[in-house]
Amino acid sequence: MAATFGNDGRFHRQLIMVNGLLPMVLMGFDAWRGKLGVNPAEFVTRATGVMTLVFLVLTLLVTPLRKTLGWNWLLKQRRLLGLFAFFYCCGHLLTYLAFDRDWQLGTVYEDVVKRRFIAVGMFSFALMVPLAVTSTNAMIKKLGGPRWAQLHRLTYYITIGGVLHYYMIVKSDATYPLWFAVMVAVLLGYRVVASLKKGKEREAVGVVK
Amino acid sequence: MKPISKIPSSEITPEETFLNRRFFMKTAIWAGSTVATGAVYRAFSPRSEVKSTGAEIAKVGESSFKNGLGADEKVNSFREIAGYNNYYEFSTDKSAVAAKAKDFVTDPWSVAVGGLVGKPRVFGLEDLLKMESEERVYRFRCVEGWSMVIPWVGFPLAKLLSLVEPKSEATHVAFETYYDLKQMPDAGSAGIDLPYVEGLRMDEAMHPLTLLATGLYGKTLPNQNGAPIRLVVPWKYGFKSIKSVVKITLTNREPPTTWSLANPGEYGFYSNVNPKVDHPRWSQARERRIGETGSRETLMFNGYAEQVASLYAGMNLEEDF
């Protein structure tokens, strides 16, 4: 049974597609029936931002889950999770341009320079673009596996930037950004510990030889 | 003949059962995951159903003040005013405050007025509701960049202060909000020191626009809007208009105020609405009027410059923000 589930890539893909799009669909439905709350602009801006962070955290969750639970099938779906993060981040950027900038695109540069949290957010978004562009099979082949993997480690910095961006805009109650910070710290901490262990094992093997 | 498999044929799942089981599993995963995703979305999306539970306010007189709203400015709906509140003692989520403040006890209530006054006095809720009230339609501009137009019911603060006879050495008025962790269990994560305190200069407090509001849309205040009595200072950012007041103290020095204690670089004592002085993290030049799609220009002193600008003559409003 487990083996069957683990091999069913099409099923995983559909599952992630539907669940990833569902919040977007529900938001659209709520917008259509006028149920996005008293300040829809604020809600949509925050929701798309949070969804970006959720998908970034999910992409970072793939490696620990593979290594600890052996869920190797997740690896095939990681690029899709990352693309969802990019998708919601584009939505987040659009809400900023529409509601915060009133489509006065000329004022964006000035705003980035003036407001540090906007600069941090924009920087993280800019780092996402090359990752989205290189997310195809052809690009992996072109770049070669190791180089591609190295490039996509930018995800670490993107996620840290995203959480920082969230923390910087909060007025006083930092509960949600701190939750994200803890999750990201655990997921990145896992990698640090894993690489330290690997280093030691290599050393040990070296000594025996 | 060698057996192909060591598993006895009786233990092999027939293909049909296997496929059925897989179909069942997939269906369960589909249903479980989409319901969970939908539920998480719902939990974090605004629920702004608010009920009007206020009682009629007995004596509401004609407004002594022309509201001065532009032709394009509409009064916001009760749902908007009572469904979107900054009341950090209950929640930092503006859409969640109404539900969290639902059972807040506002009767009995008393407001202790003291300090540098001739006749200190504790006003019971009955006394306050007996004061001759009138409707005042004011713009309300939040420091976060959104705004509303609100039909308050109340009486000038000056009226209450005259009853306690302020001493001549009193220069400022300090206010304090009710605070009780039992009734406000989420107050611990507000990120600001509580109880909430605010303050005004004496001339600001005595200004005829400065209101003690006891109602909204002709009825007593909903809990989430600061029941049973709150301050309304229409030319200042909303956080100056302290809610659920229990204490008013006249002093001879500038009193501490919650937001300037929390972040002195971002929130000053005066906090007058001023499109020319930006918040360090966002512009204050424009605002989003709740209910409108575009944004509109923020007016100097929130549109009340004619009435209040003289209070600040000669002051540098960029320093005294």
Side-chain angles (χ1 to χ4, degrees):
Chain A
M1 236 19 241
T4 318
F5 176 80
N7 290 333
D8 199 345
R10 238 186 87 209
F11 176 57
H12 305 146
R13 200 159 204 79
Q14 290 170 348
L15 205 59
I16 292 169
M17 282 297 275
V18 168
N19 279 290
L21 286 172
L22 193 56
M24 180 78 183
V25 170
L26 289 173
M27 231 187 297
F29 180 60
D30 279 353
W32 172 68
R33 52 182 199 143
K35 293 264 180 182
L36 280 180
V38 171
N39 193 347
E42 185 195 37
F43 174 68
V44 175
T45 304
R46 207 182 34 209
T48 49
V50 168
M51 289 302 293
T52 307
L53 289 180
V54 166
F55 277 101
L56 283 169
V57 166
L58 289 176
T59 59
L60 292 183
L61 201 57
V62 168
T63 295
L65 286 182
R66 279 178 59 215
K67 299 257 166 86
T68 56
L69 299 175
W71 291 3
N72 288 315
W73 56 271
L74 272 171
L75 186 59
K76 269 191 183 160
Q77 310 305 331
R78 188 165 61 180
R79 279 180 287 155
L80 182 58
L81 294 171
L83 283 172
F84 261 116
F86 185 65
F87 169 74
Y88 279 105
C89 195
C90 289
H92 187 57
L93 186 67
L94 284 177
T95 59
Y96 162 77
L97 295 177
F99 303 131
D100 199 274
R101 299 287 98 199
D102 287 305
W103 293 115
Q104 304 293 305
L105 301 187
T107 66
V108 171
Y109 174 74
E110 178 196 339
D111 202 42
V112 168
V113 173
K114 198 167 162 189
R115 302 200 278 172
R116 264 183 300 174
F117 87 96
I118 295 285
V120 172
M122 281 293 183
F123 184 67
S124 299
F125 173 76
L127 290 183
M128 280 175 108
V129 175
L131 304 200
V133 169
T134 57
S135 67
T136 60
N137 288 331
M139 283 307 272
I140 297 181
K141 263 197 200 134
K142 205 171 165 191
L143 285 171
R147 263 177 72 203
W148 186 89
Q150 200 175 16
L151 174 67
H152 281 250
R153 271 185 212 120
L154 281 177
T155 307
Y156 306 155
Y157 304 99
I158 293 166
T159 311
I160 292 170
V163 174
L164 192 64
H165 167 72
Y166 190 9
Y167 178 79
M168 286 168 83
I169 189 56
V170 158
K171 247 165 82 199
S172 71
D173 177 5
T175 312
Y176 290 139
L178 288 179
W179 276 9
F180 277 110
V182 168
M183 285 189 283
V184 171
V186 169
L187 293 173
L188 294 184
Y190 170 87
R191 287 165 168 83
V192 173
V193 172
S195 86
L196 287 178
K197 262 192 194 162
K198 217 176 180 182
K200 260 190 196 158
E201 270 163 28
R202 256 188 228 140
E203 237 169 65
V205 172
V207 169
V208 171
K209 271 182 182 175
Chain B
M1 275 231 293
K2 271 194 200 166
I4 299 165
S5 162
K6 281 176 191 160
I7 301 169
S9 66
S10 62
E11 278 185 23
I12 296 174
T13 314
E15 192 184 358
E16 208 177 313
T17 314
F18 175 80
L19 288 177
N20 269 340
R21 214 182 277 167
R22 194 158 70 158
F23 176 76
F24 175 78
M25 278 275 285
K26 274 191 176 179
T27 311
I29 291 171
W30 271 120
S33 67
T34 50
V35 166
T37 306
V40 169
Y41 170 80
R42 265 295 150 251
F44 286 95
S45 64
R47 33 213 142 145
S48 47
E49 297 311 316
V50 285
K51 276 182 238 142
S52 174
T53 52
E56 296 288 339
I57 294 179
K59 284 198 282 182
V60 181
E62 279 296 301
S63 184
S64 61
F65 152 82
K66 253 188 96 232
N67 64 41
L69 295 178
D72 62 335
E73 291 183 281
K74 282 197 218 86
V75 179
N76 281 91
S77 69
F78 180 83
R79 187 186 74 88
E80 289 165 335
I81 298 168
Y84 194 67
N85 313 90
N86 270 320
Y87 199 156
Y88 275 30
E89 285 85 338
F90 290 106
S91 172
T92 54
D93 174 359
K94 290 184 275 294
S95 304
V97 172
K100 297 236 167 128
K102 189 166 55 76
D103 300 319
F104 183 43
V105 179
T106 59
D107 187 8
W109 193 272
S110 61
V111 182
V113 188
L116 299 173
V117 297
K119 290 183 178 168
R121 187 173 153 187
V122 177
F123 291 87
L125 185 57
E126 326 70 64
D127 307 324
L128 298 166
L129 290 177
K130 257 187 259 159
M131 303 279 281
E132 199 180 323
S133 302
E134 58 178 275
E135 181 163 89
R136 293 274 182 99
V137 180
Y138 285 157
R139 289 181 204 91
F140 183 95
R141 169 63 156 82
C142 181
V143 74
E144 295 167 1
W146 54 268
S147 64
M148 298 196 198
V149 176
I150 305 180
W152 301 108
V153 175
F155 52 89
L157 171 64
K159 229 177 185 177
L160 185 89
L161 294 182
S162 68
L163 294 175
V164 295
E165 295 174 10
K167 289 183 178 164
S168 58
E169 64 263 38
T171 57
H172 290 82
V173 185
F175 303 85
E176 192 178 311
T177 295
Y178 181 86
Y179 183 52
D180 174 9
L181 271 172
K182 264 182 251 138
Q183 288 207 67
M184 301 158 161
D186 293 343
S189 59
I192 47 175
D193 273 339
L194 296 170
Y196 196 93
V197 290
E198 256 306 333
L200 292 174
R201 216 168 56 189
M202 200 65 193
D203 56 347
E204 297 175 325
M206 295 303 286
H207 194 279
L209 283 187
T210 304
L211 206 68
L212 277 176
T214 53
L216 179 67
Y217 267 114
K219 292 186 175 170
T220 52
L221 281 175
N223 291 343
Q224 61 271 28
N225 290 87
I229 187 162
R230 67 171 293 168
L231 187 69
V232 177
V233 193
W235 71 91
K236 292 177 180 283
Y237 291 118
F239 66 85
K240 292 293 290 182
S241 295
I242 185 171
K243 296 186 174 83
S244 307
V245 175
V246 288
K247 207 160 133 192
I248 300 177
T249 311
L250 283 79
T251 74
N252 57 5
R253 60 174 68 95
E254 190 179 286
T257 59
T258 294
W259 279 103
S260 61
L261 287 174
N263 202 333
E266 297 191 345
Y267 311 100
F269 174 78
Y270 287 96
S271 291
N272 293 315
V273 175
N274 188 340
K276 280 174 250 149
V277 177
D278 281 346
H279 184 281
R281 286 182 284 161
W282 55 85
S283 164
Q284 296 291 27
R286 302 185 70 81
E287 66 198 53
R288 175 163 309 283
R289 182 62 57 83
I290 296 300
E292 296 180 356
T293 36
S295 65
R296 53 166 74 222
E297 266 178 37
T298 289
L299 305 171
M300 188 64 201
F301 295 113
N302 206 20
Y304 303 100
E306 202 185 304
Q307 293 94 330
V308 302
S310 61
L311 298 178
Y312 310 100
M315 275 173 65
N316 181 345
L317 296 177
E318 286 194 22
E319 273 169 35
D320 286 315
F321 57 87

